[in-house]
Amino acid sequence: MKLEFIYPEDRFDVHFTLPTAAYEKIWNEDSDRIKQAFKNYTGLTFQQKIIKVKVYDGVSMSGTSRKPMRLNTQNRTLTTKRFALIHELGHRLLSENMLSALHQNDDERSDDEHRRLSLFESDVFLELYGKDAHKEWLSILEHGDTKTFEYLSSLSFGERQEKLRHLIATNELR
């Protein structure tokens, strides 16, 4: 799997070009380790060969096979950029392996999707970027998505792995 970054037509538009280059640099430096860390914790692989990525002003989104992943220009620090990339790739990994939440209600679907992602995202991020970056990530999560933070905090590594195995086998989060 490879990420293909979409630059603005005007390469001098630094508002988009610089963050795009920063995300691309992260991918170029860490792509093999990122793919391996996801595989280590989930046993899953990415199905799509090329994922297009566009940086824009808005909430990061994982995209679909037809729509590019979108990463926010407002992620200022290296850690927040890394987190956004890992987070959206985690969503992609779930959806490409038919493990996305299926609720009709958008709020319920989002909550369930983030609980699914929390079963491995924290461990992947810790393996990739170490304790200091992980601590910063946890702080961001605690203040930005308290439901997911509380769910994650309530589970040990073994419990997360057990729930993940169940999820992969049944597509049900228990």
Side-chain angles (χ1 to χ4, degrees):
M1 183 263 298
K2 174 181 157 183
L3 298 187
E4 188 175 284
F5 289 83
I6 303 166
Y7 280 85
E9 285 185 34
D10 179 2
R11 287 285 182 127
F12 293 107
D13 182 354
V14 295
H15 180 72
F16 294 105
T17 299
L18 292 178
T20 302
Y23 282 113
E24 186 173 35
K25 183 176 191 275
I26 293 167
W27 178 251
N28 288 340
E29 290 175 354
D30 298 342
S31 61
D32 291 337
R33 291 177 47 239
I34 290 170
K35 290 183 276 189
Q36 188 60 51
F38 277 115
K39 180 106 172 112
N40 290 347
Y41 287 99
T42 68
L44 302 171
T45 56
F46 291 93
Q47 303 302 308
Q48 196 170 347
K49 300 293 182 218
I50 296 174
I51 297 173
K52 294 186 182 288
V53 181
K54 183 166 180 68
V55 178
Y56 81 126
D57 288 328
V59 176
S60 295
M61 296 183 294
S62 62
T64 66
S65 61
R66 293 190 178 113
K67 293 181 181 177
M69 178 185 294
R70 295 188 176 269
L71 299 171
N72 192 336
T73 59
Q74 301 304 310
N75 292 323
R76 303 263 186 236
T77 69
L78 180 59
T79 298
T80 56
K81 282 181 175 60
R82 286 173 169 166
F83 171 64
L85 183 61
I86 297 304
H87 184 81
E88 299 311 332
L89 284 171
H91 280 300
R92 278 302 264 266
L93 185 65
L94 288 171
S95 68
E96 288 179 5
N97 286 280
M98 309 301 279
L99 296 170
S100 293
L102 303 173
H103 299 281
Q104 296 296 320
N105 176 292
D106 286 344
D107 289 338
E108 288 177 13
R109 184 174 48 250
S110 178
D111 287 347
D112 189 18
E113 186 77 15
H114 285 104
R115 280 191 298 273
R116 291 166 183 248
L117 190 55
S118 73
L119 297 177
F120 58 89
E121 177 182 48
S122 175
D123 302 308
V124 167
F125 197 78
L126 178 61
E127 178 180 314
L128 289 167
Y129 300 114
K131 289 180 182 178
D132 290 341
H134 185 259
K135 185 177 176 181
E136 183 180 341
W137 171 76
L138 283 173
S139 177
I140 292 167
L141 184 64
E142 180 179 17
H143 295 94
D145 186 352
T146 55
K147 285 182 184 177
T148 301
F149 178 79
E150 288 169 4
Y151 181 75
L152 172 64
S153 299
S154 72
L155 301 172
S156 69
F157 174 76
E159 290 169 324
R160 288 193 305 276
Q161 286 292 292
E162 182 182 323
K163 286 181 178 292
L164 181 59
R165 283 191 298 275
H166 179 78
L167 174 68
I168 291 169
T170 65
N171 195 21
E172 293 176 6
L173 187 62
R174 55 178 175 150

